[in-house]
Amino acid sequence: MKEIMVVFTGGTIGSMKQGSAIDVNQSGSYMIIDQYLERYDASVTFSTLQPINILSENLLAEQWLQLAEQIRSIAQDQLSGIIVTHGSDTLAYSAAMLGYMLSDTKVPIVLIASNYPLGDERANGLRNFSNAVSWMEQDAPAGVFVVYENDLGESQLYLASRIMQCETFTDQFRSPYELTLGKLQQGRLIPIDDERNPRLDELKPAQHQWLESIKQLKQLASDIQYIKPYPGLNYELYSWASNRRPTAILHDLYHSGTACAITEGRYSLPEFIKRCKKENITVYLCPVKSAEEAQYASTSTLVEAGAVILEKIGTEAALMKLMLAYSLFGSEQEVQRFMLNDQLYYERH
């Protein structure tokens, strides 16, 4: 077997309990390899890299550029794969961004996390690591993925651009339509046959036309406002000085693809959209299963006010794609064309 590169970034999986608090610890990062070699397979060879060592809630946009650059610098010819240990809080965002940035990888890149520090008997981090290693030993294709054990003890394989935030009360990750690529059993993928999933033979180095431009980026547009609706949301609270305005706004929607569409007043999203449009701030709406299905009168009202619907994409993937879009392009027309038409890494389902 070839070598596996383990890229440590910190997070719970690299943390240890220190007094009454849980925090990142240098020795905590390497504990996972020690545990694996002790309990599973001492014949596997690992090399390591630690570009950052932070709790994932402290992750900043520029660190994605740093992390992607470090991973690109790894010689892949002698590798079976690359495992990235990551905190669960922001893993969904990092997975999408790395999926976009590293879509041309020649080996599998797998992000893993742990629901508890590795020293806790409830932790699934070591099993996530072991399942990723076993898959790389056997039939893992090139691509960017997440491996995470659910509360049923099943090792789920997610495509990097199709994983949603970890839930607070269950420590479980989700995906659009609750659809993963499949389950890992003894190093083999038991795929889920669904037309919305890419075929396994499609999971190969994906060279999209913007990849080289993304590799040249020195900073990311991180001034995109994300808004989540709730009854009584007062849009008058969102106001900006002329030199401190957001580049764009991603506005979440209720499950039916709706948000408050009363025509005027402080709670009116259409009025807010019109105000943003006057200030040259585009409001994007997500998630929506498909534009054709967005038939509610309230959704139509939002579009008529000037909002742009991002269909068939999860909110986390959409936000990361918007950050790239406003980093790459200087005109709103180019950004919208990119967001609506270009597929970077199977993010549209």
Side-chain angles (χ1 to χ4, degrees), residues 54-69:
I54 59 172
L55 291 172
S56 72
E57 61 267 31
N58 298 328
L59 185 69
L60 302 178
E62 57 263 29
Q63 289 169 317
W64 283 316
L65 293 175
Q66 177 186 352
L67 184 56
E69 183 178 1

Side-chain angles (χ1 to χ4, degrees), residues 188-203:
R188 297 289 184 184
L189 175 63
I190 311 301
I192 294 176
D193 185 15
D194 189 288
E195 63 181 6
R196 291 165 295 194
N197 273 341
R199 299 191 315 272
L200 292 182
D201 60 3
E202 291 179 329
L203 296 177

Side-chain angles (χ1 to χ4, degrees), residues 11-12 56 86-92 113-115 148 165-166 171 173:
T12 298
S56 72
H86 199 287
S88 55
D89 282 355
T90 57
L91 180 143
S114 184
N115 53 350
Y148 192 83
Q165 278 288 83
C166 193
D171 296 324
F173 284 97

Side-chain angles (χ1 to χ4, degrees), residues 230-239 265-268 272 275:
Y230 60 88
L233 172 58
N234 182 356
Y235 290 100
E236 288 184 354
L237 297 176
Y238 292 92
S239 59
R266 67 183 66 180
Y267 308 114
S268 169
F272 176 68
R275 172 161 66 89

Side-chain angles (χ1 to χ4, degrees), residues 300-315:
S300 299
T301 301
L302 303 179
V303 174
E304 290 169 4
V308 178
I309 286 182
L310 300 178
E311 62 173 352
K312 301 180 179 180
I313 185 173
T315 305

